[in-house]
Amino acid sequence: MSVTRIPEAQEYILHWGEMGSHWGVNRSVSQIHALLYLSDRPLHAEEICESLSLARSNVSTALKELQGYNIVRRTHVVGDRRDHFVAELDLWDMFMAIVAERKRREIDPIIARLGELSERMAGREEIPGHVRQRIGRMHEFISTLTGWYLQVRGLKKSTLIALMKLGSKVARFVPGSSTPNN
Amino acid sequence: MSVTRIPEAQEYILHWGEMGSHWGVNRSVSQIHALLYLSDRPLHAEEICESLSLARSNVSTALKELQGYNIVRRTHVVGDRRDHFVAELDLWDMFMAIVAERKRREIDPIIARLGELSERMAGREEIPGHVRQRIGRMHEFISTLTGWYLQVRGLKKSTLIALMKLGSKVARFVPGSSTPNN
DNA sequence: CATTTATTTCTGTAATTTCCGAAATTAATA
DNA sequence: TATTAATTTCGGAAATTACAGAAATAAATG
């Protein structure tokens, strides 16, 4: 019996689906994720179809997508040869997995593209300086942010959580940042 | 004369528009932003229409949206009573403005919703414990992340940049995180 | 105050994306 | 290897979203 019978779980699933679509994630994909997240046992595709009234094929595609994000994985249930699926339950790991995949899909190609553009424009006097500069700056900016992310991502989970709990207190360790605000 | 004549600028604009649509931002909106970012002078709506071959109405809506994000602002040019528009050129400020607005629109409502749900389920024995727990944990997780963001956001820009340049070295200030990796 | 010009709102259409159902493929058991 | 069941792929229908053009509103100048 599925969590779908619980009105609050239903709401959660619908809301999660809604949210996904505002961040470029297919609604079915995020709904299925929400369902698996709330389920206390592995579900097979058929069950997901029924619970969310989605087409079998749709569920198949969505599950592949979720596995691509590394936030859902296949398992097997004894005496049942169908694939079953469970969601990552550690929210920190889930979050990091999503960020990593979005970076790979969305950010890395942008950096590559901006890099090409910058290089292609370098030294060409017929192109206004401000255009070259601004595209260059954008490239630099995104690269810097991404570099920071890569470094921080390499830290232990516990360290990261400790840093987060520190909040704005981290500023104490930056020389010459005595005034608290902008 | 518009930057649109430069093939590299064109590419930048198209690519930027493409990217926007992967993050839940209307293509016209992000294209217009890219155009203004590359322009060295304020543009009026009509110019934008021509440069990007968009309908006047479309441009109007998009400009309102960009102003809502606080990354484009109106200006006036002497001897011309039309509104002109310029983009925020400081990429850090731009980034922070976008994050702030997306938080307001997308994250805050989620937190509110999850809070309601958690509260509504509290103590109701007929709802499985794991469902209550997991929705509760999600609420807590997103709230924590957001809390951290709010704190960090309050720091001086220079401090933030200094922290970023520190990269993974910030871990030094966390007690007992001597081992470098997960 | 009338006229011109800029801007926004509204509505129908076009384009894109999502999703279903059928067909094809793959895997598992006997 | 044949048979059955599970899964994936594919093409088109349905729904959503973006967009253009017209109409309405607002602002500015003479």
Side-chain angles (χ1 to χ4, degrees):
Chain A
M1 230 264 286
S2 150
V3 294
T4 321
R5 304 196 150 262
I6 303 161
E8 280 79 10
Q10 274 278 11
E11 266 187 65
Y12 177 83
I13 291 168
L14 291 176
H15 189 236
W16 204 246
E18 197 57 36
M19 199 210 47
S21 67
H22 283 141
W23 290 90
V25 178
N26 179 296
R27 183 182 285 115
S28 312
V29 171
S30 33
Q31 283 189 357
I32 292 175
H33 176 260
L35 173 64
L36 290 173
Y37 175 68
L38 291 187
S39 174
D40 60 343
R41 62 183 173 80
L43 302 179
H44 61 262
E46 213 67 54
E47 271 181 291
I48 298 174
C49 293
E50 287 165 26
S51 300
L52 303 177
S53 9
L54 295 174
R56 190 52 243 279
S57 53
N58 202 7
V59 170
S60 182
T61 313
L63 284 170
K64 219 163 67 177
E65 177 80 352
L66 286 166
Q67 286 172 287
Y69 270 105
N70 288 309
I71 56 177
V72 161
R73 65 170 212 284
R74 285 191 329 176
T75 43
H76 289 284
V77 170
V78 285
D80 192 334
R81 64 186 227 246
R82 289 170 294 189
D83 287 345
H84 287 64
F85 301 89
V86 286
E88 171 65 61
L89 291 182
D90 183 305
L91 293 179
W92 185 265
D93 290 344
M94 182 198 82
F95 178 70
M96 291 304 260
I98 293 173
V99 172
E101 185 62 14
R102 296 249 358 166
K103 171 188 172 295
R104 201 182 66 74
R105 294 191 195 180
E106 251 84 64
I107 312 282
D108 290 350
I110 290 175
I111 297 178
R113 213 85 154 49
L114 292 179
E116 278 172 40
L117 277 181
S118 288
E119 210 169 325
R120 185 135 60 84
M121 290 188 300
R124 287 179 39 206
E125 288 296 329
E126 80 273 21
I127 298 174
H130 73 274
V131 170
R132 284 181 285 162
Q133 274 169 24
R134 288 181 194 177
I135 292 181
R137 259 187 246 140
M138 183 63 83
H139 177 236
E140 194 182 270
F141 178 72
I142 301 182
S143 300
T144 305
L145 272 188
T146 304
W148 171 80
Y149 159 75
L150 283 175
Q151 288 212 301
V152 167
R153 169 173 189 80
L155 299 172
K156 281 196 294 185
K157 198 205 288 188
S158 59
T159 306
L160 276 171
I161 290 171
L163 273 169
M164 256 203 20
K165 289 202 177 133
L166 220 55
S168 57
K169 295 195 187 78
V170 281
R172 288 175 188 168
F173 309 116
V174 177
S177 63
S178 40
T179 34
N181 263 31
N182 300 297
Chain B
M1 229 266 286
S2 149
V3 292
T4 321
R5 304 197 150 260
I6 302 160
E8 281 79 11
Q10 274 277 12
E11 266 188 64
Y12 177 84
I13 291 167
L14 291 177
H15 190 236
W16 204 246
E18 198 58 35
M19 199 211 48
S21 67
H22 283 142
W23 292 90
V25 178
N26 180 297
R27 182 182 287 115
S28 313
V29 171
S30 33
Q31 283 190 357
I32 292 175
H33 175 260
L35 173 63
L36 291 173
Y37 175 68
L38 292 187
S39 175
D40 61 342
R41 61 183 174 81
L43 303 179
H44 61 261
E46 213 68 53
E47 272 181 291
I48 298 174
C49 293
E50 286 165 28
S51 300
L52 304 176
S53 11
L54 295 173
R56 190 53 242 277
S57 52
N58 204 5
V59 170
S60 180
T61 312
L63 284 169
K64 219 164 66 178
E65 178 80 352
L66 286 166
Q67 287 171 287
Y69 270 104
N70 287 308
I71 56 177
V72 161
R73 65 168 213 284
R74 285 192 329 178
T75 43
H76 289 284
V77 169
V78 284
D80 192 334
R81 63 188 226 245
R82 290 170 293 188
D83 287 345
H84 287 63
F85 301 90
V86 287
E88 172 64 61
L89 291 182
D90 183 305
L91 293 179
W92 185 266
D93 289 344
M94 183 199 81
F95 178 70
M96 291 304 259
I98 292 174
V99 172
E101 184 62 12
R102 294 245 8 159
K103 172 189 170 296
R104 202 182 65 73
R105 294 191 195 180
E106 252 84 63
I107 311 281
D108 290 350
I110 290 175
I111 297 179
R113 213 84 154 51
L114 292 178
E116 278 172 39
L117 275 182
S118 289
E119 210 170 326
R120 186 135 58 85
M121 290 188 299
R124 285 177 42 204
E125 287 297 328
E126 80 274 21
I127 297 174
H130 74 274
V131 171
R132 283 181 286 162
Q133 273 168 24
R134 289 181 193 178
I135 292 181
R137 260 187 246 140
M138 184 63 82
H139 177 235
E140 194 181 88
F141 179 72
I142 301 181
S143 300
T144 305
L145 273 190
T146 304
W148 171 79
Y149 159 75
L150 283 175
Q151 288 211 303
V152 168
R153 172 175 187 78
L155 298 172
K156 280 196 295 185
K157 199 204 289 189
S158 59
T159 306
L160 276 171
I161 290 169
L163 273 169
M164 255 201 22
K165 288 198 176 137
L166 222 54
S168 57
K169 296 195 187 79
V170 280
R172 288 176 188 167
F173 308 117
V174 177
S177 62
S178 40
T179 35
N181 264 32
N182 300 297

